[in-house]
């Protein structure tokens, strides 16, 4: 069955790939979380170059509720699971991308980026006019309701970037959205001032914790080649995460923190 699904997948990809939303970054060749983060930062930083501008970023996710699992001829009872995209089939990622393909922004000043079920709505606001941002947010809520996608309003966060007074919280599905100073966006910590110190500290701490295992392996006289492979796969991969998104704006203290790891 899996082999047949792969044949169907190859056929469908040739047909559907040109039709897919270019701002869906999951399940597609030559795209990654770094591309999604990089595009989001590009939109925000480019907009903030204009005087009197600021950005509101809404981080949310949605999912299909009331799913069933089938193993052979046995089908489970309906379960209320609205986290994550459907899995268990080779075609599932593509089918979910097609299902959510119509979830897009209709206004030039509002950008909607998707990575599987993680959706980010970026309102590029000028002169305090947030009508387009709120309009697209209402449109997104309506689209999810019509397409049986459940928005998790309690897990939704909003962050404001730019020189502006803290705005009043937005209301999503009758619940106020929590305003945050920073958010872990697809593995990269983004702060409202768009600085990298917090993300660098997080990555450095995680890498230092994993260095412990490398030191333990050294005690057992692990061959050098295997130690290098361990470092490359387990530690270096952390330090390189979101590297293409980072500027060279980190201070000497953050640079020095990485020295013991090299």
């Amino acid at each position: 069955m899996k082999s047949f699904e792969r044949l169907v997948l190859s056929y469908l990809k040739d047909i559907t790939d040109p039709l897919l939303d270019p701002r869906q970054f999951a399940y597609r060749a030559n795209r990654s979380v770094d591309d999604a983060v990089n595009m989001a930062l590009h939109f925000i930083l480019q907009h903030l170059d204009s005087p009197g501008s600021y950005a509101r970023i809404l981080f949310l996710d949605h999912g299909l509720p009331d799913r069933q699992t089938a193993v052979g001829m046995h089908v489970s009872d309906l379960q209320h699971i609205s986290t994550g995209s459907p899995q268990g089939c080779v075609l599932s990622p593509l089918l979910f991308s097609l299902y959510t393909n119509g979830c897009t922004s209709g206004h030039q000043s509002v950008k909607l980026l998707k990575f599987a079920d993680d959706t980010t709505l970026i309102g590029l606001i000028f002169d305090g006019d947030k009508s387009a941002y709120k309009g697209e947010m209402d449109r997104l809520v309506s689209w999810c309701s019509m397409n049986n996608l459940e928005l998790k309003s309690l897990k939704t966060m909003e962050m404001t970037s730019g020189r502006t007074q803290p705005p009043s919280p937005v209301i999503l599905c009758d619940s106020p959205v929590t305003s945050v100073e920073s958010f872990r966006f697809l593995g990269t910590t983004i702060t409202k001032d768009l600085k990298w110190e917090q993300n660098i500290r997080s990555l450095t701490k995680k890498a230092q914790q994993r260095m412990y295992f490398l030191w333990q392996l050294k005690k057992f006289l692990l061959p050098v080649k295997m130690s290098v492979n361990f470092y490359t796969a387990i530690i270096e991969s952390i330090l390189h995460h979101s590297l293409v998104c980072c500027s060279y704006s980190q201070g000497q203290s953050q640079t020095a923190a990485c020295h013991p790891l090299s």
Side-chain angles (χ1 to χ4, degrees):
M1 189 63 181
K2 295 287 186 182
S3 298
F4 177 72
E5 289 175 358
R6 289 188 178 92
L7 289 174
V8 175
L9 178 64
S10 178
Y11 176 75
L12 288 178
K13 275 188 173 181
D14 292 338
I15 300 173
T16 61
D17 196 60
L19 306 176
L20 289 176
D21 181 9
R23 292 176 184 168
Q24 168 63 274
F25 292 88
Y27 316 130
R28 304 184 71 179
N30 302 317
R31 294 196 176 203
S32 67
V33 292
D34 283 349
D35 295 316
V37 175
N38 207 23
M39 180 171 283
L41 291 174
H42 170 73
F43 285 140
I44 297 168
L45 290 170
Q46 187 180 51
H47 177 68
L48 293 181
D49 283 340
S50 303
S53 63
Y54 66 96
R56 296 180 72 167
I57 308 104
L58 192 69
F59 303 99
L60 48 84
D61 60 4
H62 49 63
L64 287 166
D66 302 329
R67 304 182 202 169
Q68 288 180 307
T69 300
V71 180
M73 300 298 294
H74 302 281
V75 181
S76 71
D77 296 331
L78 281 173
Q79 298 292 326
H80 189 78
I81 303 172
S82 59
T83 301
S85 58
Q87 299 181 19
C89 171
V90 175
L91 293 171
S92 294
L94 176 61
L95 294 177
F96 186 77
S97 295
L98 292 172
Y99 188 78
T100 59
N101 199 50
C103 181
T104 58
S105 171
H107 199 281
Q108 183 65 25
S109 66
V110 182
K111 311 297 183 182
L112 192 147
L113 308 182
K114 294 176 288 187
F115 193 91
D117 60 331
D118 292 319
T119 302
T120 305
L121 196 69
I122 304 173
L124 307 177
I125 299 169
F126 187 73
D127 286 341
D129 183 8
K130 51 186 179 292
S131 58
Y133 173 65
K134 290 192 173 182
E136 287 299 320
M137 188 174 64
D138 292 340
R139 184 169 174 263
L140 175 62
V141 172
S142 177
W143 188 92
C144 289
S145 177
M146 288 189 297
N147 289 275
N148 194 35
L149 286 170
E150 182 177 344
L151 281 170
K152 294 177 278 294
S153 57
L154 296 179
K155 293 184 178 180
T156 298
M157 305 291 175
E158 186 188 39
M159 187 176 72
T160 303
S161 181
R163 295 183 179 180
T164 182
Q165 296 295 325
S168 56
V170 296
I171 305 298
L172 184 70
C173 300
D174 299 325
S175 299
V177 173
T178 303
S179 181
V180 295
E181 300 286 319
S182 64
F183 186 81
R184 190 168 176 81
F185 176 46
L186 300 177
T188 299
T189 302
I190 298 180
T191 59
K192 63 182 299 182
D193 58 3
L194 303 179
K195 300 293 185 181
W196 290 101
E197 283 80 0
Q198 187 171 337
N199 185 65
I200 292 171
R201 285 196 300 268
S202 175
L203 295 179
T204 303
K205 181 180 178 181
K206 190 174 181 180
Q208 287 174 333
Q209 290 172 341
R210 296 193 180 186
M211 282 292 292
Y212 168 79
F213 298 104
L214 185 61
W215 293 327
Q216 292 298 109
L217 292 173
K218 185 178 180 180
K219 291 180 181 179
F220 290 99
L221 304 178
L222 190 73
V224 174
K225 185 176 181 180
M226 293 184 66
S227 298
V228 171
N229 289 339
F230 180 88
Y231 175 84
T232 302
I234 306 300
I235 300 171
E236 188 178 46
S237 59
I238 295 174
L239 299 176
H240 286 178
H241 180 72
S242 69
L243 188 63
V244 297
C245 304
C246 290
S247 64
Y248 292 98
S249 60
Q250 66 264 30
Q252 292 182 354
S253 59
Q254 282 76 32
T255 304
C258 296
H259 286 171
L261 303 176
S262 57

